[in-house]
Amino acid sequence: GLRTPQTGEMRLGGLDAVAIAPEDRRQLFAYAAQDVRLLNGSVRENLLLAGPADDAALWAALDDAALGDRIRAESLGLDIPVGPNGEQLSGGERRRLGLARAYLRDAPWLVLDEPTEGLDAATEAQVLGRLQNRLAARGQGLILISHRASPMALCNRSIRVEGLDSDGHLRLTCLPDDLAA
């Protein structure tokens, strides 16, 4: 929704995206940004930015993001403060908290921008394994933006963005079957 789609540029569920109201388009996606922004509050408060959820759902999202054990080890649990923009968490913990927040949104598609950047190999493997299980269990689709081979292994289709043409359209590289999908 950062820019208005052009007629014929994108289809969602067989419909031209122009025909779908922006607020309805936004409901289709849960997003975890590459640059996670956190409130100066608790883990709970940051997770609840996704919408209402009970403690069981919060813990499930943290577990799926491979952060549950770390938060359980704290005496305050979900109420542990994260500090301004999450400064009391490591970069990888901030990224995984943002991922958990996206997991709490009930949307048919996850859009994840560099979800494992900055994670060590073992943590990355854990996050990706849990993500794969989550996608299979929930039937969610995944749109993944990454420069890393490990997360891309989750994708059965790949479109490489090469840049912008002079007319403002994306220049893409992919197999013809992938673009049609």
Side-chain angles (χ1 to χ4, degrees):
L2 297 178
R3 72 174 182 82
T4 304
Q6 303 300 306
T7 301
E9 183 178 48
M10 183 175 73
R11 300 181 74 70
L12 297 169
L15 297 173
D16 192 318
V18 172
I20 304 171
E23 59 274 7
D24 293 334
R25 282 194 310 258
R26 281 190 286 277
Q27 295 302 313
L28 298 173
F29 301 95
Y31 176 59
Q34 179 177 6
D35 185 20
V36 178
R37 300 290 181 188
L38 300 173
L39 296 176
N40 183 11
S42 67
V43 166
R44 178 191 312 276
E45 290 166 324
N46 277 279
L47 289 173
L48 290 175
L49 290 174
D54 62 18
D55 282 5
L58 299 180
W59 285 116
L62 287 168
D63 288 337
D64 283 350
L67 191 58
D69 290 345
R70 158 73 171 87
I71 302 304
R72 280 185 188 88
E74 297 291 332
S75 62
L76 294 175
L78 292 170
D79 296 314
I80 181 177
V82 300
N85 201 28
E87 69 182 22
Q88 295 193 25
L89 302 174
S90 72
E93 290 167 343
R94 285 191 298 272
R95 183 168 309 280
R96 288 180 286 151
L97 186 56
L99 188 58
R101 185 166 56 201
Y103 287 167
L104 287 165
R105 290 260 334 232
D106 186 23
W109 287 91
L110 279 174
V111 180
L112 307 180
D113 191 353
E114 299 288 0
T116 62
E117 182 183 346
L119 300 182
D120 63 75
T123 304
E124 179 181 51
Q126 190 177 38
V127 167
L128 294 176
R130 291 178 184 191
L131 173 57
Q132 186 170 28
N133 292 340
R134 182 181 181 83
L135 293 171
R138 295 176 182 265
Q140 277 181 305
L142 174 65
I143 298 172
L144 178 71
I145 300 99
S146 185
H147 295 91
R148 301 172 52 80
S150 300
M152 294 302 293
L154 293 175
C155 302
N156 57 9
R157 295 188 176 133
S158 176
I159 299 173
R160 182 181 185 95
V161 178
E162 300 289 344
L164 287 176
D165 288 330
S166 59
D167 63 1
H169 286 92
L170 291 175
R171 191 169 48 254
L172 308 172
T173 302
C174 60
L175 298 172
D177 289 346
D178 288 344
L179 186 58

